[in-house]
Amino acid sequence: MTVDPAAAPLEVDPLLDDPETRIIVCCGSGGVGKTTTAAALGVRAAERGRKVVVLTIDPARRLAQSMGIDSLDNTPRQVKGIEGPGELHAMMLDMKRTFDEIVEAHADQDRARAILENPFYQSLSAGFAGTQEYMAMEKLGQLRAREEWDLIVVDTPPSRSALDFLDAPKRLGSFLDGKFIRLLMAPAKMGGRAGMKFLNVGMSMMTGTLGKLLGGQFLRDVQTFVAAMDTMFGGFRTRADATYRLLQAPGTAFLVVAAPERDALREAAYFVERLAAEEMPLAGLVLNRVHGSGAARLSAERARAAAENLEEGRIVDQGHGKNGVREAASPAGSSPDSPGPGPGQLPHQETESQTPEQPSVNQLTAGLLRLHAERMQVLKREQRTRDRFTALHPEVPVTEVAALPGDVHDLAGLRAIGDRLAGGSPATGAA
């Protein structure tokens, strides 16, 4: 695949070198290489002189392995082996620990203990829908507020939809500020006999119904949690809004990562449109795992035709203007005037170096030609898919990363990815 000349190239190095660039968010649907892209950008930026922290939310822990770190947690850890004047730190979001830190920072000791020990809080902080994305936003805000790093690279959570990263924090904030929570808070706020009267009369039907559906103990846990968190609910929405504004600021750049596949690029197109609607700065599209061929001038049709000729015992003579197909009349190295088989040797006798079980050179060549034809079909399909995206969004700069023969598992591999990201190297020379 080659880069469409009509599409603007994405210039990665100027983006990384710009001191005004403080946050890069790698986003996209699941399984397109966001984690590897984020790590490669971090390595390249650090080796070009910036102090970088990479925040990943990927549970597969590939980032730690590729950076030579035994494990990542909620604390940034410096990566050794950076070949340059900068520094690279890496961390993996622990959403429950981040939630606990918020409680500990915004509640007194007794109230914090009551919240942390509450069963409903423990369920909420460990796996409530949207919690991971919300805590990623919280951690990003914490890192930016510390002013310790020149650049923060964020690997967004793996989710069914790339839009969840933007939507989930609002959903969780809406839940914490919603009518249901406020209704549960009402008895505690009214207090005394009035509160008990309200609880006994106004909520008896609701709590009785919910108690049957959810269990009485669960409902009491929720009410206890709500009462303890009362003073903190507004803070969740305030911080989420502040981080949302941070994502809109000029120092932030979004990179949409996609594979050259229809579903991934459709998701990327949705995300591009959503970023524009939210007025968030889009740097460009990283088209990852692009296939290529070193013999792109040989079309799939010609490769298949040549394979059929070889398999049928024919050869294509294109020398000195004698184009056409002729039958292979005699074995290689022989001619009509060549002497016949020697004494004791039968015609077409197999030698030790070529047994009936071993494929001939022609068969091997035909197989390679068919593999090449399949590769060219893949390239053609990827190019059509990419062209559809660029036709819809010609304003989006694009860079391509050639598919590698194996997984990236060390800093050298991340450097190679970084070189491809910065060079926008077309995949025509890829294996």
Side-chain angles (χ1 to χ4, degrees):
M1 180 186 293
T2 57
V3 177
D4 182 359
L10 172 60
E11 297 181 354
V12 171
D13 282 345
L15 178 68
L16 297 178
D17 295 342
D18 186 355
E20 298 298 320
T21 303
R22 303 299 303 275
I23 297 172
I24 294 177
V25 181
C26 296
C27 52
S29 56
V32 296
K34 295 192 301 292
T35 301
T36 302
T37 299
L41 289 170
V43 171
R44 190 169 186 86
E47 295 189 337
R48 296 177 70 85
R50 304 198 71 181
K51 186 175 181 180
V52 187
V53 60
V54 176
L55 168 63
T56 184
I57 302 96
D58 186 355
R61 301 187 181 273
R62 293 188 303 274
L63 180 62
Q65 297 168 1
S66 64
M67 292 184 172
I69 300 175
D70 293 337
S71 62
L72 292 178
D73 53 25
N74 225 33
T75 302
R77 299 181 182 276
Q78 186 168 359
V79 177
K80 304 298 183 182
I82 295 299
E83 300 174 355
E87 292 182 14
L88 177 62
H89 300 251
M91 61 183 297
M92 179 177 291
L93 177 72
D94 183 334
M95 65 176 182
K96 187 179 187 313
R97 182 58 202 150
T98 301
F99 212 149
D100 292 349
E101 291 171 355
I102 296 170
V103 172
E104 293 167 351
H106 296 89
D108 59 63
Q109 185 174 359
D110 292 339
R111 179 169 291 194
R113 184 183 305 109
I115 294 171
L116 297 177
E117 293 176 354
N118 183 276
F120 178 74
Y121 167 79
Q122 293 172 359
S123 299
L124 175 71
S125 60
F128 191 81
T131 303
Q132 187 180 52
E133 287 83 357
Y134 180 91
M135 291 306 149
M137 300 275 275
E138 282 275 357
K139 182 56 68 175
L140 173 59
Q142 292 174 11
L143 292 172
R144 183 67 181 85
R146 289 167 64 176
E147 293 287 349
E148 186 174 347
W149 292 277
D150 299 333
L151 178 64
I152 303 168
V153 183
V154 182
D155 162 37
T156 55
S159 57
R160 181 190 59 79
S161 170
L163 303 180
D164 287 348
F165 180 64
L166 298 179
D167 289 334
K170 287 186 175 180
R171 289 201 302 269
L172 183 61
S174 297
F175 167 75
L176 294 177
D177 283 347
K179 293 181 179 179
F180 176 68
I181 292 294
R182 291 200 301 270
L183 187 60
L184 291 176
M185 290 169 60
K189 284 190 171 183
M190 295 189 68
R193 294 182 178 179
M196 291 303 296
K197 183 177 180 181
F198 179 87
L199 177 62
N200 292 333
V201 177
M203 296 188 68
S204 59
M205 183 177 297
M206 185 197 75
T207 54
T209 303
L210 289 176
K212 292 178 181 178
L213 292 174
L214 305 176
Q217 183 60 49
F218 177 81
L219 186 58
R220 285 191 290 274
D221 291 339
V222 173
Q223 290 174 320
T224 303
F225 163 77
V226 169
M229 292 282 286
D230 182 13
T231 59
M232 297 181 58
F233 284 133
F236 282 99
R237 174 60 64 86
T238 300
R239 287 191 301 277
D241 291 344
T243 306
Y244 211 76
R245 290 193 297 272
L246 181 64
L247 294 176
Q248 295 174 316
T252 299
F254 279 83
L255 286 176
V256 179
V257 184
E261 300 167 359
R262 183 179 60 183
D263 291 343
L265 278 173
R266 182 188 295 118
E267 193 76 18
Y270 290 154
F271 208 109
V272 166
E273 294 163 5
R274 175 65 184 277
L275 291 173
E278 299 287 341
E279 298 182 349
M280 292 187 175
L282 172 64
L285 171 73
V286 174
L287 199 57
N288 206 12
R289 300 170 186 163
V290 177
H291 292 89
S293 172
R297 289 184 296 177
L298 178 59
S299 68
E301 293 76 13
R302 289 176 58 197
R304 278 194 293 266
E308 290 173 1
N309 291 337
L310 288 170
E311 290 170 343
E312 294 173 5
R314 298 177 292 169
I315 60 174
V316 179
D317 185 353
Q318 295 182 340
H320 305 293
K322 297 179 180 180
N323 297 327
V325 179
R326 60 185 175 86
E327 296 293 336
S330 56
S334 66
S335 69
D337 298 328
S338 299
Q345 184 178 1
L346 297 176
H348 308 295
Q349 182 176 357
E350 298 286 353
T351 64
E352 292 183 0
S353 61
Q354 179 179 329
T355 65
E357 292 78 13
Q358 292 177 323
S360 67
V361 173
N362 282 2
Q363 290 172 325
L364 290 173
T365 305
L368 291 174
L369 286 167
R370 292 192 180 279
L371 285 176
H372 175 77
E374 293 175 3
R375 170 59 65 90
M376 295 305 296
Q377 288 293 107
V378 171
L379 267 62
K380 188 176 181 179
R381 182 174 64 251
E382 290 181 355
Q383 185 66 56
R384 285 197 306 267
T385 305
R386 182 190 189 281
D387 288 346
R388 281 195 292 269
F389 176 87
T390 54
L392 288 172
H393 299 285
E395 77 285 358
V396 178
V398 180
T399 189
E400 295 183 355
V401 179
L404 298 180
D407 292 334
V408 175
H409 58 275
D410 55 18
L411 286 177
L414 292 176
R415 288 191 191 98
I417 294 293
D419 290 341
R420 288 164 170 79
L421 281 166
S425 54
T428 50

